[in-house]
Amino acid sequence: MTTGQQHTPSGLGPQDEERLPSLAEQMADQLGGWRGLVESSIPVVVFVIANVIGELRPAVYASVAVALLIAGLRLAQRKPVRHAVNGLFGVGVGALLALRTGDERDFYLPGILYGIGYGLALLLSAAIRQPLVGWIWSVLVAKGRSEWRDDPKLVRTFTQLTVLWGVVWLAKVGVQAGLYLAHQDTALGVARLALGYPPYALLLLITVWVVRRVTRETAPTPLPGS
């Protein structure tokens, strides 16, 4: 071996060297995957159920208690508590608004406004060929990788999926907005639950199934004898 020359294992190159995580990979770590998303949503669900069957103030206490319980469990497991804090923040904004106005339906107003903004953002991202569903896929599923941007078929697939998500999101938030304007507090709480996880889960299943199918179809065929 020549003096001063560093030996590199066979088959490794510069692209195999350790690299800093990309922004998307850091986001994936910060979000904590599906567990983090679910845990940040649980206090909101508790508030909705407690508010439907009881009163505003006990519902706030129940949601805060659940958020603190989740934080305690994560601390016991030596995991970050930011997801529990996110859930507490989500409950707190609506709860403070409802307590301030004395109107239970105002708890749902931030979520309605957020849903409208999210639905419009989805459609806008599809219109400019930067489909938001594709980037969310990169963060939560592909561990920060975004090779789909180099595949026109996958870009087209994610664009169509993003339009689907946007339309469904605006439709379900439109129902909630109508109930809000009609002062149907109990129906609004029920709609928040019914139009929360079920459509979301269905959209996830459709997205995963479609992307997996397209990925298999576009996978290169191995050469004979390789």
Side-chain angles (χ1 to χ4, degrees):
M1 182 172 60
T2 306
T3 304
Q5 181 180 4
Q6 184 177 3
H7 176 67
T8 303
S10 176
L12 295 180
Q15 69 274 13
D16 298 296
E17 296 177 358
E18 184 178 357
R19 60 180 179 83
L20 293 175
S22 67
L23 175 61
E25 288 171 331
Q26 294 179 50
M27 287 177 61
D29 178 67
Q30 291 298 315
L31 286 174
W34 299 117
R35 176 179 175 179
L37 292 178
V38 170
E39 288 183 347
S40 64
S41 302
I42 288 176
V44 179
V45 175
V46 169
F47 177 89
V48 172
I49 296 174
N51 192 47
V52 168
I53 64 178
E55 298 181 354
L56 177 61
R57 197 170 296 274
V60 172
Y61 296 154
S63 60
V64 171
V66 169
L68 292 175
L69 176 61
I70 292 174
L73 289 175
R74 293 191 69 86
L75 281 174
Q77 297 172 349
R78 296 184 178 180
K79 295 182 179 296
V81 298
R82 57 183 176 273
H83 309 301
V85 174
N86 291 340
L88 184 58
F89 177 78
V91 170
V93 174
L96 287 175
L97 181 61
L99 290 172
R100 186 178 184 85
T101 63
D103 193 340
E104 294 180 359
R105 70 186 182 124
D106 284 338
F107 169 80
Y108 308 102
L109 183 57
I112 292 173
L113 296 177
Y114 167 79
I116 293 174
Y118 185 58
L120 292 176
L122 285 163
L123 296 181
L124 177 61
S125 72
I128 63 175
R129 302 288 291 176
Q130 293 289 335
L132 190 56
V133 170
W135 291 112
I136 294 175
W137 179 275
S138 293
V139 172
L140 295 180
V141 178
K143 298 181 179 179
R145 300 189 304 273
S146 57
E147 288 87 351
W148 61 271
R149 289 294 304 166
D150 300 323
D151 188 333
K153 190 171 185 179
L154 277 175
V155 172
R156 185 167 59 253
T157 297
F158 278 123
T159 300
Q160 294 169 347
L161 288 169
T162 299
V163 171
L164 174 63
W165 276 75
V167 170
V168 171
W169 217 264
L170 289 177
K172 72 174 190 173
V173 79
V175 172
Q176 297 178 51
L179 293 172
Y180 175 87
L181 294 175
H183 293 263
Q184 299 294 322
D185 299 347
T186 301
L188 180 56
V190 173
R192 174 72 175 266
L193 292 176
L195 298 178
Y197 284 110
Y200 185 69
L202 180 60
L203 286 171
L204 282 177
L205 288 174
I206 293 173
T207 300
V208 171
W209 180 78
V210 170
V211 174
R212 299 292 187 190
R213 188 190 65 176
V214 172
T215 303
R216 286 196 298 267
E217 290 175 354
T218 58
T221 305
L223 296 176
S226 60

